[in-house]
Amino acid sequence: MSVQERLQGYSGEVRRILEEAGVEVGDEVEVAAGDRVYRGILMARYELAEPGYIVLKLPNGYNVGVRVSEGVSVRRIAPARKPSFTPPPRPPSKPGLPRVYVISTGGTIASRIDYRTGGVRAALTAEDLLSIIPELAELADLGAEILFSIFSEDMTADHWSRMAAKADELIRSGVDGIVIAHGTDTMGYSAAALSFALQKPPVPVVFVGAQRSSDRPSSDAATNLIAAVRVAGHAPFAEVCASMHAWHSDDVIAIHRGTRVRKLHTSSRDAFKSVNADPIAYVAGGEIRVNAENLNPRGSEEYRFEPGFSDEAALVKFYPGMPPELLELLAERGCRGIILEGTGLGHVSNRLRPVIKELVDRGIFIGMTSQCIYGRVNMRVYDTGRYLLKAGVVPLDDMLPETAYVKLSWCLSRARDLEEVKRLMLTPISGELGGRSTPSLQGR
Ligand code: ASP
């Protein structure tokens, strides 16, 4: 274990003192400062916490921060005791249950607080899952693996590729369904990525996250996960999708198509909605209710693995006053395609038109989506739109901006030239284009 791990969150002079005393997080220590002596468990600290303090958990359960000034001495009383929690024995697998594999990538759903140290640790071995949520043993013969332990804001195109490769390997090994536990912030991007990489898969690939961590009474982790495992193991369809609360209460979970799902609320449990499409299914009362037609069937024999994402795509939200140089800068840095999130029906200021034309002439793809989120772009209504079309901007109908960005990254990794990027971008691959109209937002 590195010193960063042994003394998590401590730095500078305080870390030096602790290192010299030979103590580590979890040890029982004595800290003498002036005429006071404290005894307790050395706690981990958040990296952003005020430095200059040693934090101890006292025998009465309270934490105390001891300010480190001259003359502080630290002594180890006893080494860290390993937490004595032993999960209950894994319930015997029932014969005949589908084999579902859970890949954990991090985020709130995949972590739990270690109350001894205050640190967050990944908790997604199959044993952990079954001991925390025993209902899962009734639904599937479960396997689990930690692929990454990161928050989803740290995902990159390379992580999408690695997730897709893992899912493909599992599909080829014959599992009946795959669940991917993921942070909620960029779950929509990753779900879109796997929708392009795993085309017409033979088994469902279900993303799942939690808005509230498992140690909070209002957590949505268990209910979302139970629904995800149910869909992965038992749904008649095999789509890349996301399993999240449909409303505030625990009784209905919505299953959204991977290319249509978007996080629309920062904290509420029903943050995820399908945009310009209905959820493909609901899970309620232990039943899966299919809510869409023409879904890819379980057992599909048309599966194609189409991996590869380029990091030369960009997503830019237009704003009033945006300087044209921003787009130039992206091109200078090697960007080969840009998705614009324009206003309304698909507009940006006329001042950007010359640079857009120049970039398109240089072979850079420029696609238009709308920051309205709902509805579709229509660049023929106003002159602004018509001029942008003339400059070579490609309107992307009702594709979500994030999905368009992921699709562009995927297209750039396989198309030879601008014409091929355009053709691929406008070819529906996984339900991302040509959704149903949303005439009004009433009730959303
Ligand atoms: N920022 C976190 C993430 O997306 C939030 C979450 O886990 O839901 O990873």
Side-chain angles (χ1 to χ4, degrees):
M1 231 202 291
S2 69
V3 64
Q4 274 89 349
E5 286 168 314
R6 278 185 280 120
L7 290 173
Q8 195 189 323
Y10 291 97
S11 58
E13 179 60 8
V14 180
R15 184 157 96 195
R16 195 191 57 76
I17 293 174
L18 295 172
E19 262 189 285
E20 241 176 55
V23 298
E24 61 184 71
V25 164
D27 284 353
E28 191 182 345
V29 299
E30 185 181 271
V31 179
D35 54 357
R36 308 203 62 163
V37 177
Y38 303 89
R39 260 191 188 211
I41 306 285
L42 182 66
M43 301 293 283
R45 304 209 63 204
Y46 293 108
E47 272 167 35
L48 301 178
E50 179 78 10
Y53 287 87
I54 294 174
V55 178
L56 299 182
K57 183 171 282 299
L58 302 176
N60 62 13
Y62 285 101
N63 287 357
V64 65
V66 184
R67 196 185 166 81
V68 174
S69 50
E70 254 174 61
V72 156
S73 70
V74 179
R75 190 164 72 87
R76 182 155 93 153
I77 307 288
R81 260 182 290 137
K82 293 274 166 274
S84 56
F85 172 74
T86 359
R90 182 177 178 149
S93 327
K94 298 201 171 161
L97 283 180
R99 279 210 304 139
V100 171
Y101 205 84
V102 182
I103 306 171
S104 162
T105 69
T108 302
I109 187 160
S111 22
R112 72 166 185 233
I113 305 272
D114 181 337
Y115 283 105
R116 189 180 52 95
T117 63
V120 172
R121 70 179 198 92
L124 267 178
T125 64
E127 306 326 294
D128 280 342
L129 280 178
L130 287 173
S131 70
I132 301 166
I133 314 172
E135 292 94 319
L136 295 176
E138 302 286 318
L139 290 175
D141 175 6
L142 218 60
E145 170 179 333
I146 295 170
L147 189 60
F148 332 117
S149 283
I150 59 174
F151 283 118
S152 73
E153 50 272 31
D154 290 325
M155 292 276 173
T156 61
D158 179 54
H159 292 100
W160 301 337
S161 294
R162 285 158 63 194
M163 265 186 271
K166 182 75 215 179
D168 176 64
E169 179 195 314
L170 289 168
I171 288 172
R172 289 179 203 283
S173 79
V175 298
D176 297 301
I178 299 170
V179 170
I180 304 185
H182 197 288
T184 55
D185 287 1
T186 70
M187 186 156 74
Y189 293 76
S190 295
L194 266 62
S195 305
F196 298 122
L198 310 168
Q199 292 180 24
K200 297 194 185 298
V203 302
V205 178
V206 191
F207 279 81
V208 66
Q211 287 280 84
R212 320 260 170 90
S213 58
S214 346
D215 44 355
R216 292 175 63 184
S218 63
S219 175
D220 48 342
T223 38
N224 291 345
L225 188 60
I226 292 169
V229 169
R230 188 181 293 283
V231 169
H234 301 270
F237 54 81
E239 295 280 352
V240 177
C241 51
S243 162
M244 295 296 289
H245 264 63
W247 4 94
H248 279 301
S249 69
D250 277 344
D251 49 8
V252 187
I253 304 297
I255 308 300
H256 305 277
R257 189 186 280 285
T259 51
R260 288 285 174 191
V261 64
R262 194 173 198 280
K263 184 173 180 177
L264 288 173
H265 197 289
T266 54
S267 56
S268 118
R269 302 196 302 174
D270 59 348
F272 282 77
K273 299 285 175 230
S274 288
V275 174
N276 293 330
D278 289 320
I280 59 172
Y282 291 98
V283 179
E287 300 280 319
I288 300 169
R289 186 159 58 74
V290 178
N291 191 47
E293 282 166 13
N294 302 325
L295 293 176
N296 180 53
R298 183 183 280 279
S300 153
E301 286 175 6
E302 294 171 57
Y303 173 52
R304 286 204 346 248
F305 181 45
E306 296 282 353
F309 295 95
S310 159
D311 56 10
E312 291 161 331
L315 171 60
V316 177
K317 181 170 190 144
F318 167 76
Y319 55 91
M322 175 175 149
E325 293 79 25
L326 273 187
L327 298 181
E328 255 161 29
L329 188 73
L330 284 171
E332 262 168 40
R333 301 189 127 218
C335 188
R336 292 197 293 132
I338 300 173
I339 300 298
L340 288 173
E341 232 189 85
T343 55
L345 290 167
H347 307 132
V348 294
S349 160
N350 275 325
R351 279 180 298 109
L352 298 191
R353 214 192 307 144
V355 65
I356 287 179
K357 169 134 186 20
E358 192 203 311
L359 297 189
V360 174
D361 289 347
R362 275 160 58 186
I364 295 176
F365 175 87
I366 312 262
M368 181 64 78
T369 59
S370 175
Q371 49 194 257
C372 290
I373 306 298
Y374 284 92
R376 41 187 21 98
V377 294
N378 182 350
M379 299 177 65
R380 301 205 165 273
V381 178
Y382 297 97
D383 277 356
T384 320
R386 287 173 181 256
Y387 281 124
L388 287 169
L389 285 176
K390 203 151 171 262
V393 172
V394 178
L396 296 174
D397 192 46
D398 63 339
M399 223 190 296
L400 273 171
E402 298 85 359
T403 298
Y405 162 65
V406 171
K407 187 172 181 186
L408 179 58
S409 153
W410 180 78
C411 291
L412 288 174
S413 83
R414 54 202 6 88
R416 280 177 306 264
D417 53 33
L418 181 59
E419 282 317 303
E420 203 179 339
V421 176
K422 268 193 217 169
R423 187 185 58 73
L424 267 180
M425 281 302 287
L426 294 174
T427 307
I429 308 267
S430 194
E432 74 282 13
L433 271 170
R436 71 152 166 67
S437 294
T438 308
S440 144
L441 291 183
Q442 199 178 356
R444 298 234 147 229

